[in-house]
Amino acid sequence: MLGTELELRLLNYRDTTPLKAAQVDDEPYGGGAGMVLRVDVVAAALEAAYGGPPGHRVVALTPQGRQLDQQLVEELAGEEELTLLSARFEGFDERIVEHLSTDAVSIGPYVLSGGELPAMVLLDAIARRLPGALGSEVSGLEESFSAELEGGLEYPQYTRPAEFRGWSVPEVLLSGDHGRIAQWRREQSRARTVH
């Protein structure tokens, strides 16, 4: 994914499934509610897309995965190529996570109906870290969770008007004293991070 361009390919498991009637999931062995995405279906999709197992990282989006944070976003943004796998309902046959993916990632400690939204969240987080994505390389340097803010939250931001309904912009931001402004921002970032 390095570079200034992002190329996306969206694949539908139903387009390459080896099963009849575009089936992609089945009931879990041992019983239980819901449907599970089949390992043979995902293997067929990867075979169709790459001619075999991909030679790059394959991320399965699952609540059981490593929780997404800025460090992981930065790591994945450095990849030349990346495949995201999503499922619905009860998720993946465990063999997909164990044998067909290199990583399992969760966007948080909660459950959604499917992996499409987590895939979009991860994609957006990665895309904004690519060179040129923000228009200015400086824009993404000093923001929440960045190294410049020691992994903390970003300081408050203000814009015009300087006063609105009696709500004023902090005087230090209007002072023109860049040293004082930088100090105030560091203090605000630390205070927000502690909460």
Side-chain angles (χ1 to χ4, degrees):
M1 286 196 173
L2 280 175
T4 57
E5 293 186 19
L6 178 65
E7 180 182 328
L8 297 176
R9 282 179 55 196
L10 302 177
L11 304 172
N12 185 337
Y13 298 125
R14 294 186 191 286
D15 292 342
T16 57
T17 182
L19 307 173
K20 294 179 183 175
Q23 181 183 353
V24 297
D25 52 12
D26 213 332
E27 298 172 348
Y29 279 125
M35 300 292 277
V36 177
L37 183 61
R38 291 174 51 136
V39 65
D40 53 346
V41 169
V42 174
L46 293 173
E47 176 73 31
Y50 303 109
H56 58 267
R57 288 172 83 168
V58 177
V59 177
L61 293 148
T62 172
Q64 293 81 23
R66 172 181 169 189
Q67 188 137 346
L68 183 63
D69 59 15
Q70 194 62 31
Q71 180 181 349
L72 180 55
V73 168
E74 299 292 339
E75 181 183 318
L76 294 174
E79 295 292 323
E80 186 69 30
E81 193 170 354
L82 191 62
T83 294
L84 306 180
L85 300 176
S86 62
R88 291 199 61 76
F89 308 119
E90 292 304 309
F92 297 105
D93 179 308
E94 190 63 21
R95 294 169 290 185
I96 296 167
V97 178
E98 289 179 4
H99 303 290
L100 298 179
S101 68
T102 59
D103 301 84
V105 172
S106 169
I107 65 164
Y110 49 88
V111 178
L112 299 171
S113 296
E116 299 87 355
L117 290 174
M120 287 190 284
V121 167
L122 181 57
L123 177 62
D124 184 71
I126 291 170
R128 68 184 311 279
R129 298 307 303 148
L130 299 178
L134 299 177
S136 165
E137 297 309 310
V138 177
S139 178
L141 289 178
E142 200 170 275
E143 62 184 2
S144 292
F145 315 117
S146 66
E148 286 74 9
L149 295 179
E150 300 168 356
L153 297 173
E154 190 170 355
Y155 43 81
Q157 298 278 13
Y158 298 87
T159 189
R160 291 177 180 86
E163 186 170 323
F164 181 75
R165 295 184 180 170
W167 308 322
S168 298
V169 171
E171 177 277 326
V172 66
L173 297 178
L174 305 174
S175 71
D177 185 333
H178 297 292
R180 281 184 55 218
I181 292 170
Q183 178 64 31
W184 180 86
R185 286 178 170 168
R186 281 190 299 277
E187 290 168 0
Q188 293 296 310
S189 173
R190 286 187 193 111
R192 279 185 166 188
T193 303
V194 172
H195 293 110

